[in-house]
Amino acid sequence: MPTSIKDECAIVGIGQTEFSKFSGRSELQVTLECVEAAIADAGIERSDIDGMVTLSIDGSDEIAVMRGLGSQELKFFSRVPHGIGGAMSLVHQAVMAISSGMCKTVLGYRALNGCSGNQPKASAVGGPLSTDQVHWGWYNPYGFSDPTSWVAMFTQRYMHEYGATAESLAEIALTMRKHAVNNPNAMFYDKPITSEDYFNSPFIAEPLRFYDCCMEADGGAAFVITSTERAKDLPHAPAVVRGVAQGAAADQEVMTSFYRDSITHLPEYDLVAKQCYEQSGLSADDIDAAVLYDAFTSIVLYQLESFGFCKRGEAHDFVKGGTLGLDGRLPCNTNGGQLSEAHLQGINGITEAVRIIRGTSVNQPKKNDHVLATSGFGVPSSAMILGQSR
Amino acid sequence: MLTSIKDECAIVGIGMTEISKNSGRSELQLAAECVSAAIKDAGLKPHDIDGLTGFTLDHVDEIEVARTVGIPELKMMSRMPHGGGAPMSLVQQAVMAVSTGMCKAVVGYRAMNGRSGARYSEGVADGPETTDAISWGWYMPYGLLTPACWVAMHTQRYMHEYGATDEALAEIAVAQRDFASRNPNALFYGRPITMDDYYNAPYIVEPLKLYDCCIETDGGAAFVITSAERAKDLPHTPAMVRSAAQGAAFDQEVMTSFYRDCITTLPEYDLVAKQCYEQSGLGPDDLDAAIIYDAFTPIVLFQLESFGFCKHGEGHEWVKGGTLGPDGRLPTNTHGGLLSEGYIHGINGLAEGVRLIRGTSVNQPKKNIENVLVTSGASMPTSAIIIGK
Amino acid sequence: MSAKTETAPSAPQRMRPVVGHDNREWWDHINEGQLTIQKCKECGTLRHPPRPMCWKCQSLEAEHMPASGKGIVYSFVVIHKPVIPGYEYPLAVAVVELEEGTRIVSNVVGIEAGDVKIGMPVKVSIEAVDETLTLPLFRPAS
Ligand SMILES: [Zn+2]
């Protein structure tokens, strides 16, 4: 029995559509487009795909994708829960399936008309009484029903306990935007912002301002993953999975884990980090670049601390002075992130992490031996470390 | 890298609530009770569990289960799609997680107020524009709304092509009820039916009569899986997982794969059977008993054929004369099945499969039970496992 | 005489709590004017939101004990956007830590949203926010 999945599998293909406010087509079509692109990029046949995985909230069933691809059979399929927390869980599922011999090549995908379409709302009512509905029922009556406000609740306390200020958040917002300005596929391509723009922007939910928040988008992204052995015969430099993990921690809620002793760190991120480092034998010092889930600026701070780039409570100082920029200690979200490339619920983090390993990011960091990619905040989460083929 | 998961893991705990028409409590409580019971049955504590897997259809999030039963952290969470096709996928998930070192012990669960809450017989309803909703849109306007309708469509053609009659279906319905009548946890405990009862029952959707259809029930069921190594130290005879496979086949729909050349076999079952036999190195002759997903009687025939107990088109003959009974070639659904024990989406069947390996079924066959097949729902992406001593 | 009755266009209302098996008793107490905390009958652990099993001892037996209603603001937000019908903005929402140790989310009212502070003492005020909904709100404790 393997004790770690280190280096067993590699991401060999990536694909995505354009990111926009209005895709003008069905989510299934967007899915099929990015899936086709990923398969072509991997240099494999459609019939080589014998497993598929997506998020439980995705609107396109794997059997609909199968039919689109003309697939004869699938030996593995699954869904991972908790939306934004699930992006790297797709890799987790695929790695488990391949390295336990269940299938050979897995396609992961996620596409959404997140801006133009009818997205399922957290406040959804009607239907059978799910634990999820009961959960939202504790918050909706108070008008506390928007992701920005939930994240702001954590952020307020973080700032209070650690003396963090909006300066750190501005640093993150401006860095991500700077990266997006160079990325033709970003929604904010060529649309820079200044520090004044940041501080003059209105509050959405105090202490979070307009530029602390990502923008919803339409689009899709997909990846193909197979055994490292097989990856050697494929066209691109394989992005080898050194570690990949999921985590939910004690007293975990979805976005509202306010009942723990401390809400200024998230133990689910600690748990995910611990597993990634244990599996890979690496530490924060070995990570050259990162794609951190940044639907909101402040959540980057939590992740930097959990993944050990600085001590707890110190990330707001750590990020100052260009740390997350191309010449900083940890080039971060070189695609512009969820904040400024597009909010694709983190799936575009997988494609960018692979590009960094391949050396093909539009903002390519100088060093790219190991890249960390993480998933959403405040929910059961996931992360992976990719590395170069040896 | 593993080439097969054969015998890497074992099912070491099972737990169930009572099965009823009205549980009188939340689905979360049902889930918490059966998960807690499964952990206890395994001789473990909540903090020994580090993975949870369930159904996309379940209304109870795994994090609610974790908090409620006191599982402090989870390293693997997943949801398996397609309702009745999902149950053995949960086993596959658990085996993958344990055999790749992701987790030490994983619990799979399903809890539902399937009778007193939302009922599947009420049909499918409108929703957002998902591929799933679009798929249902081809059938809803015509009133083809419920599982019984969809299964009847396959059945009608099966009977036509192979000359099957409702005698074969009656055989299955009566055999399952016979088992259930001796199972105190079955909804139909102490209530056998006769062939006459079967034939005199009204049609639900022709050619399916009342007793061809499972009951809708409230209840919960769960299981615990850990490594074969660790299982040695736990109280019960481990049910070794010899194989666990999923399958979706060409032109697959959920319940409405009517567009294939042939609709009297289901290639997803063929695919799952092939993998189960490959992983385990076993064949149908090695299987001593089975838990065959039986939401409706005719789908048992499809599965017996795909899993190679008889040829395609011959299932309806093969089942006659008590083949599936306690002394037959393949004692099947010794708990009474979904038809007569209760409908907990096949996880109750898994619990019975484990009992057969342990030798503790209320209808334990006299012969030695070395290997048991457990399957999942028909006419959708599906899954199956083989467990053994 | 016309039998026709005029119905005023209904004012937008707050979203409703979702009430089921596991929290009905808690909401019943609110409707009777009492804030309560669920307590394990076996080991005494307090928990909020209410859930059916004790995470410490797995007991299914629980009762609801009256809470003092006193607490402090543990964290808070002031919401400006999006504007949802039925609420007034800027809207203050807080995580309140009750003196018994459990936390609860609610609105802080009776104070300018901008004046809410972490650590501020507050007290529960159970109020009918419209004809059919009663909520535990929190006001500054004088
Ligand atoms: Zn207790």
Side-chain angles (χ1 to χ4, degrees):
Chain A
M1 189 163 322
T3 52
S4 162
I5 51 69
K6 182 183 182 194
D7 297 349
E8 296 273 2
C9 302
I11 301 177
V12 294
I14 52 174
Q16 63 189 36
T17 64
E18 85 292 358
F19 304 144
S20 71
K21 291 184 184 176
F22 181 74
S23 73
R25 50 209 197 279
S26 73
E27 291 184 342
L28 178 58
Q29 182 175 338
V30 175
T31 303
L32 289 168
E33 290 177 20
C34 66
V35 158
E36 278 286 277
I39 293 172
D41 183 63
I44 60 172
E45 300 295 327
R46 294 185 191 91
S47 56
D48 291 329
I49 302 290
D50 57 357
M52 288 190 199
V53 57
T54 187
L55 300 181
S56 61
I57 57 170
D58 196 275
S60 300
D61 283 3
E62 72 293 294
I63 53 173
V65 175
M66 269 182 91
R67 193 172 297 104
L69 299 182
S71 312
Q72 295 299 312
E73 54 182 46
L74 282 188
K75 293 175 176 167
F76 170 74
F77 41 87
S78 67
R79 308 281 167 84
V80 290
H82 305 302
I84 57 166
M88 305 311 146
S89 298
L90 301 180
V91 178
H92 185 253
Q93 281 284 316
V95 166
M96 290 194 306
I98 294 166
S99 53
S100 62
M102 295 297 180
C103 63
K104 295 205 175 348
T105 305
V106 176
L107 173 71
Y109 64 88
R110 166 73 175 136
L112 66 164
N113 283 333
C115 190
S116 67
N118 275 333
Q119 285 310 299
K121 288 283 181 279
S123 50
V125 287
L129 191 60
S130 64
T131 56
D132 201 44
Q133 281 175 290
V134 171
H135 163 244
W136 298 119
W138 291 106
Y139 310 105
N140 286 339
Y142 308 103
F144 192 43
S145 52
D146 178 80
T148 315
S149 60
W150 305 321
V151 170
M153 188 69 81
F154 287 100
T155 307
Q156 185 83 263
R157 185 77 200 180
Y158 181 97
M159 294 170 91
H160 171 81
E161 285 191 22
Y162 299 132
T165 64
E167 256 179 85
S168 305
L169 307 186
E171 174 93 25
I172 294 167
L174 295 174
T175 306
M176 302 316 158
R177 184 57 69 92
K178 197 171 154 193
H179 293 159
V181 162
N182 297 330
N183 174 5
N185 203 48
M187 288 177 76
F188 294 102
Y189 174 52
D190 208 16
K191 290 183 187 143
I193 54 169
T194 64
S195 183
E196 288 71 43
D197 293 334
Y198 175 88
F199 284 102
N200 291 335
S201 74
F203 279 117
I204 302 298
E206 288 180 52
L208 297 181
R209 291 183 167 83
F210 178 76
Y211 287 116
D212 291 311
C213 309
C214 66
M215 187 189 257
E216 286 161 325
D218 287 9
F223 62 92
V224 174
I225 180 165
T226 191
S227 66
T228 308
E229 193 52 38
R230 181 134 194 263
K232 288 180 187 153
D233 303 328
L234 298 175
H236 289 291
V240 178
V241 181
R242 299 259 196 270
V244 59
Q246 276 186 315
D251 215 358
Q252 177 83 62
E253 296 207 350
V254 171
M255 300 306 293
T256 54
S257 303
F258 302 137
Y259 309 98
R260 295 164 168 168
D261 289 345
S262 165
I263 67 168
T264 56
H265 79 283
L266 290 173
E268 52 273 21
Y269 275 139
D270 295 348
L271 177 60
V272 168
K274 183 166 160 276
Q275 295 177 80
C276 281
Y277 290 142
E278 275 176 8
Q279 289 169 7
S280 63
L282 301 170
S283 73
D285 291 343
D286 300 309
I287 306 295
D288 303 311
V291 185
L292 301 182
Y293 187 83
D294 64 336
F296 302 94
T297 52
S298 57
I299 66 180
V300 172
L301 303 175
Y302 279 71
Q303 295 170 70
L304 290 168
E305 295 171 13
S306 282
F307 283 88
F309 294 101
C310 56
K311 292 209 184 102
R312 195 174 285 175
E314 295 182 358
H316 63 104
D317 279 324
F318 177 78
V319 296
K320 287 182 190 160
T323 313
L324 306 183
L326 270 187
D327 302 318
R329 153 67 188 95
L330 189 73
C332 185
N333 300 357
T334 41
N335 56 348
Q338 307 298 302
L339 283 167
S340 283
E341 183 185 52
H343 184 235
L344 264 284
Q345 301 186 330
I347 186 90
N348 45 340
I350 299 178
T351 49
E352 180 65 7
V354 171
R355 279 187 218 105
I356 296 174
I357 291 293
R358 291 182 180 178
T360 58
S361 169
V362 289
N363 294 300
Q364 182 61 34
K366 285 179 207 76
K367 205 155 175 287
N368 66 346
D369 286 343
H370 292 112
V371 177
L372 168 70
T374 66
S375 306
F377 172 96
V379 291
S381 195
S382 52
M384 66 171 177
I385 298 173
L386 296 182
Q388 300 290 345
S389 175
R390 291 189 229 265
Chain B
M1 182 137 349
L2 289 168
T3 50
S4 164
I5 50 76
K6 184 183 180 192
D7 295 345
E8 294 277 345
C9 302
I11 304 174
V12 295
I14 51 175
M16 266 177 78
T17 66
E18 85 290 0
I19 291 173
S20 71
K21 292 184 177 177
N22 185 352
S23 73
R25 51 207 197 277
S26 69
E27 291 178 326
L28 173 58
Q29 181 166 340
L30 293 176
E33 289 180 26
C34 66
V35 168
S36 228
I39 296 171
K40 205 167 284 173
D41 182 61
L44 296 172
K45 293 272 183 274
H47 61 74
D48 294 319
I49 305 300
D50 54 1
L52 273 175
T53 180
F55 284 54
T56 54
L57 283 183
D58 210 296
H59 304 136
V60 180
D61 280 6
E62 76 295 298
I63 54 172
E64 293 288 345
V65 173
R67 181 191 355 240
T68 305
V69 307
I71 297 168
E73 50 183 44
L74 294 175
K75 294 174 176 170
M76 198 281 287
M77 290 150 276
S78 61
R79 308 274 170 90
M80 294 301 111
H82 308 304
M88 300 313 129
S89 298
L90 271 55
V91 176
Q92 189 194 44
Q93 283 284 313
V95 167
M96 282 174 11
V98 172
S99 65
T100 56
M102 292 293 186
C103 292
K104 297 247 184 297
V106 176
V107 169
Y109 67 96
R110 176 75 172 116
M112 53 203 283
N113 282 330
R115 179 71 170 229
S116 65
R119 295 176 64 167
Y120 290 106
S121 61
E122 286 165 351
V124 288
D126 275 323
E129 187 200 315
T130 60
T131 56
D132 197 46
I134 287 175
S135 175
W136 298 124
W138 297 109
Y139 313 105
M140 284 157 53
Y142 311 103
L144 197 73
L145 288 175
T146 64
C149 297
W150 307 318
V151 168
M153 190 72 81
H154 285 284
T155 307
Q156 188 80 263
R157 183 76 201 177
Y158 180 95
M159 295 170 93
H160 170 80
E161 283 191 23
Y162 300 133
T165 65
D166 56 5
E167 249 182 277
L169 307 185
E171 175 91 26
I172 295 168
V174 173
Q176 313 297 62
R177 184 58 72 90
D178 181 55
F179 283 130
S181 69
R182 290 189 295 275
N183 171 7
N185 203 44
L187 201 67
F188 291 110
Y189 176 53
R191 292 163 64 189
I193 53 168
T194 63
M195 289 299 242
D196 280 346
D197 292 333
Y198 174 88
Y199 290 116
N200 292 333
Y203 278 118
I204 301 299
V205 181
E206 290 184 49
L208 300 181
K209 293 197 161 100
L210 177 70
Y211 293 117
D212 291 313
C213 307
C214 71
I215 35 174
E216 293 176 298
T217 54
D218 289 8
F223 62 87
V224 181
I225 284 188
T226 191
S227 66
E229 193 52 38
R230 186 133 189 252
K232 288 179 191 157
D233 304 329
L234 299 176
H236 290 291
T237 307
M240 306 299 294
V241 181
R242 303 259 196 264
S243 58
Q246 283 184 310
F250 180 67
D251 211 1
Q252 178 83 66
E253 298 208 351
V254 173
M255 304 301 295
T256 54
S257 302
F258 303 142
Y259 310 99
R260 296 165 168 167
D261 290 345
C262 167
I263 68 166
T264 56
T265 73
L266 294 169
E268 52 274 18
Y269 275 135
D270 296 346
L271 175 60
V272 167
K274 184 167 159 271
Q275 296 177 80
C276 277
Y277 292 142
E278 275 175 8
Q279 288 173 6
S280 63
L282 301 172
D285 291 346
D286 301 308
L287 301 177
D288 306 303
I291 307 295
I292 307 269
Y293 197 90
D294 63 334
F296 301 93
T297 51
I299 65 177
V300 173
L301 304 176
F302 283 74
Q303 296 172 73
L304 291 170
E305 296 172 11
S306 284
F307 282 89
F309 295 102
C310 55
K311 295 209 182 99
H312 277 299
E314 296 183 356
H316 64 104
E317 291 295 344
W318 196 75
V319 297
K320 287 182 191 162
T323 314
L324 308 183
D327 303 316
R329 154 69 188 94
L330 190 73
T332 291
N333 299 349
T334 44
H335 54 323
L338 303 168
L339 285 167
S340 286
E341 184 191 53
Y343 187 75
I344 314 296
H345 249 144
I347 301 294
N348 50 327
L350 178 68
E352 177 68 4
V354 172
R355 284 185 217 108
L356 285 170
I357 296 296
R358 291 180 181 178
T360 59
S361 166
V362 289
N363 291 301
Q364 187 69 31
K366 283 184 211 84
K367 65 174 175 177
N368 179 43
I369 302 290
E370 199 65 35
N371 294 302
V372 176
L373 170 70
V374 188
T375 69
S376 304
S379 193
M380 54 184 71
T382 192
S383 52
I385 61 171
I386 296 173
I387 50 178
K389 277 195 182 132
Chain C
M1 200 175 80
S2 166
K4 196 178 164 193
T5 51
E6 291 286 324
T7 324
S10 55
Q13 292 186 321
R14 285 173 183 247
M15 286 183 272
R16 310 280 114 171
V18 178
V19 181
H21 282 105
D22 299 329
N23 63 5
R24 182 166 291 119
E25 183 177 349
W26 193 90
W27 283 106
D28 284 348
H29 289 304
I30 291 296
N31 288 326
E32 291 155 8
Q34 178 66 56
L35 177 70
T36 61
I37 303 171
Q38 195 187 30
K39 180 182 181 184
C40 174
K41 273 190 175 172
E42 202 63 42
C43 74
T45 300
L46 301 182
R47 56 187 197 260
H48 183 85
R51 291 193 168 91
M53 185 181 276
C54 174
W55 66 6
K56 286 264 169 61
C57 75
Q58 285 71 52
S59 168
L60 293 167
E61 300 299 316
E63 60 194 347
H64 283 70
M65 67 164 215
S68 73
K70 287 187 223 155
I72 53 126
V73 172
Y74 185 77
S75 192
F76 72 98
V77 296
V78 178
I79 301 175
H80 298 259
K81 285 182 179 110
V83 171
I84 297 169
Y87 300 89
E88 283 175 24
Y89 296 85
L91 177 68
V93 183
V95 173
V96 172
E97 188 161 281
L98 297 176
E99 62 182 12
E100 291 85 354
T102 56
R103 293 184 193 153
I104 178 172
V105 168
S106 177
N107 298 120
V108 180
V109 299
I111 179 174
E112 289 293 320
D115 294 337
V116 176
K117 294 273 180 296
I118 287 180
M120 192 175 95
V122 289
K123 188 157 184 2
V124 76
S125 167
I126 297 177
E127 302 180 17
V129 296
D130 58 44
E131 278 175 16
T132 58
L133 180 62
T134 297
L135 292 176
L137 305 177
F138 284 82
R139 292 177 174 274
S142 41

